[in-house]
Amino acid sequence: MVSGEKVEATLRELAPQVLGALVRHHGRFDACEDAVQEALLAAAVQWGEHGVPESPRGWLITVAARRLTDQLRSDAARRRRETTVATRAPADEQLAPAVDAPAAADDTLTLLYLCCHPALSPPSQVALTLRAVGGLTTGQIARAFLVPEATMAQRISRAKQQIKAAGAEFHLPPPQERRHRLGAVLHVLYLVFNEGYIATAGPQVHRAELTGEAIRLTRQVRRLLPGDGEVAGLLALMLLTDARRAARTRRDGSLVPLADQDRGGWDREAIAEGVAILTAALAGAPVGPYQIQAAIAAVHAEAQRPEDTDWPQILALYDLLAQFGPNPVVTLNRAVAVAMVHGPHAGLGVLDELAADRRLSGHHRLHAVRAHLLEMAGDGAAARSEFAEAARRATSGPEQRYLLAQAARL
């Protein structure tokens, strides 16, 4: 018997390579993706019982190609019955054996570009990326995002049909499009990580399976694009942020804010790696938003105690980040830095700028930050009211409990 974790890690690593081999040879991204999923499920059962074969990639390609051939034969037979056309070439003559195709370079980046096609919505991009590139099953993705499996299956199926309708092909986009499409890829990986680190719903504070997958995929992209500063910045940001994960909750599962965390519980190895990646990126590539966010995380990570935090430097970094374009979340976080440097009333003034922004005006975090700054200003009654309102709007169980506890404390 082989451990399930070892088999799963191998399958996730090989999934994009196998899918790339099939799509290059046969086209039909939608059909190939379904065939690869079936091969992955078969491997998860057989390899766990009998061990990983000598050539796991070849095994997966062979099985996936057989499933694809069966499916295409079935489709062709149905079309013949429906149209009564008997002159088509046999399915065997239309397909060459995919297993004989020469091994190609890693197709992960091409698949990521395809899964993040502009025709898709961000939720569809996330779901398709996790399945086609991450090798996760539909059930695993559905559980991670707390939706019914049937709902996630529909989302993935619809995304594949949209890619087909858009006429997208399996190759790297033209150079003039590549930068924009890479931005979409990084945004999807950032969304996956954030949903894992700050679960927006459900009983858990975080979902390690999502943060781990986001980090794994971002490492792959960095190996493929080692000179891209924003790829490095995103990986550094993930490592520096995830390093605090163990200290974010108490034994009872309750949430611990950054200022109250036991910094001895932070993962210093992850912090060191994140700082090293960021330092190299800042020295050799144009500065971008992910690098700046990673720099902010690094300043927090380097403070041995909350009172040692270099808030003027953090404020300067947020000012720089704001220059890349208006973003209500950046403004919200900047308000805290302004309060720590210039006092709570100055921070509250920044929050007033967000009152009319529909993207954040109803979000629980706006009320939670306002409550924190009001408490700093000595207005306990107003802070209590804002904490209660934040709890009412929050959809995460641990966050609701934390916010209600803060209201009760006041």
Side-chain angles (χ1 to χ4, degrees):
M1 295 286 289
V2 182
S3 73
E5 289 184 2
K6 180 180 178 181
V7 169
E8 186 172 350
T10 302
L11 294 176
R12 288 189 182 185
E13 192 72 28
L14 292 174
Q17 300 178 36
V18 175
L19 179 55
L22 255 68
V23 176
R24 268 200 327 275
H25 195 81
H26 301 287
R28 296 286 302 272
F29 169 76
D30 55 337
C32 289
E33 202 280 326
D34 286 337
V36 170
Q37 277 291 317
E38 291 186 29
L40 293 175
L41 291 172
V45 175
Q46 295 186 36
W47 295 5
E49 294 178 357
H50 305 294
V52 178
E54 184 176 344
S55 175
R57 181 177 181 274
W59 190 101
L60 288 168
I61 290 177
T62 300
V63 173
R66 288 173 181 166
R67 302 294 170 91
L68 178 62
T69 299
D70 291 343
Q71 181 59 48
L72 293 178
R73 280 175 175 162
S74 175
D75 290 347
R78 186 181 68 250
R79 286 194 297 271
R80 284 196 297 270
R81 289 193 300 270
E82 291 172 350
T83 62
T84 65
V85 175
T87 57
R88 294 179 56 87
D92 285 342
E93 295 177 16
Q94 300 170 26
L95 295 167
V99 74
D100 293 336
D106 195 338
D107 292 311
T108 299
L109 189 59
T110 303
L111 280 172
L112 281 167
Y113 283 131
L114 190 62
C115 292
C116 297
H117 193 278
L120 305 181
S121 67
S124 295
Q125 291 174 338
V126 167
L128 193 56
T129 296
L130 287 175
R131 192 169 124 136
V133 187
L136 275 67
T137 66
T138 303
Q140 288 173 322
I141 302 169
R143 287 191 295 274
F145 285 92
L146 303 180
V147 299
E149 185 170 348
T151 300
M152 187 57 69
Q154 290 176 352
R155 183 179 301 173
I156 292 171
S157 177
R158 191 161 52 245
K160 290 192 291 187
Q161 292 306 312
Q162 288 173 318
I163 285 180
K164 184 177 180 180
E169 297 180 354
F170 186 72
H171 55 66
L172 291 174
Q176 62 271 23
E177 291 182 23
R178 214 165 287 177
R179 187 72 237 173
H180 176 72
R181 293 280 285 276
L182 178 61
V185 169
L186 298 184
H187 181 61
V188 163
L189 297 176
Y190 183 64
L191 290 176
V192 173
F193 179 85
N194 273 354
E195 181 59 32
Y197 191 74
I198 308 174
T200 56
Q204 296 177 310
V205 174
H206 48 245
R207 301 185 193 122
E209 69 275 19
L210 287 179
T211 55
E213 187 61 19
I215 291 172
R216 187 184 74 84
L217 291 175
T218 307
R219 285 191 189 279
Q220 287 191 11
V221 178
R222 183 168 179 255
R223 283 197 296 269
L224 297 166
L225 299 171
D228 191 286
E230 280 294 80
V231 174
L234 178 57
L235 179 58
L237 173 61
M238 290 179 178
L239 291 169
L240 290 164
T241 304
D242 195 55
R244 304 195 296 261
R245 175 160 46 91
R248 292 183 67 228
T249 55
R250 297 183 176 88
R251 290 184 177 181
D252 62 359
S254 58
L255 189 65
V256 182
L258 178 62
D260 296 335
Q261 289 175 14
D262 176 9
R263 302 189 175 210
W266 289 1
D267 185 341
R268 291 295 161 183
E269 186 176 334
I271 290 173
E273 182 185 4
V275 169
I277 292 171
L278 174 63
T279 302
L282 291 173
V287 175
Y290 289 120
Q291 294 169 70
I292 298 171
Q293 292 178 73
I296 293 170
V299 174
H300 282 296
E302 290 168 350
Q304 296 298 314
R305 302 173 301 167
E307 55 267 32
D308 297 332
T309 305
D310 189 346
W311 284 105
Q313 184 180 359
I314 289 177
L315 178 56
L317 288 168
Y318 273 120
D319 289 340
L320 180 60
L321 185 60
Q323 294 178 19
F324 284 88
N327 184 314
V329 176
V330 172
T331 304
L332 182 66
N333 292 329
R334 181 178 174 274
V336 176
V338 168
M340 299 303 291
V341 176
H342 300 298
H345 292 289
L348 288 167
V350 175
L351 289 186
D352 289 341
E353 301 172 12
L354 294 172
D357 194 318
R358 293 182 178 180
R359 293 172 294 177
L360 203 63
S361 59
H363 199 283
H364 76 279
R365 283 197 63 207
L366 177 60
H367 294 278
V369 171
R370 183 177 285 117
H372 173 60
L373 300 189
L374 285 168
E375 184 179 0
M376 285 179 62
D379 192 343
R384 182 174 64 248
S385 176
E386 289 290 337
F387 274 129
E389 181 62 21
R392 189 181 70 81
R393 294 175 181 269
T395 54
S396 162
E399 283 192 304
Q400 284 179 334
R401 290 191 294 273
Y402 169 77
L403 293 166
L404 287 172
Q406 296 306 302
R409 176 179 59 80
L410 292 171

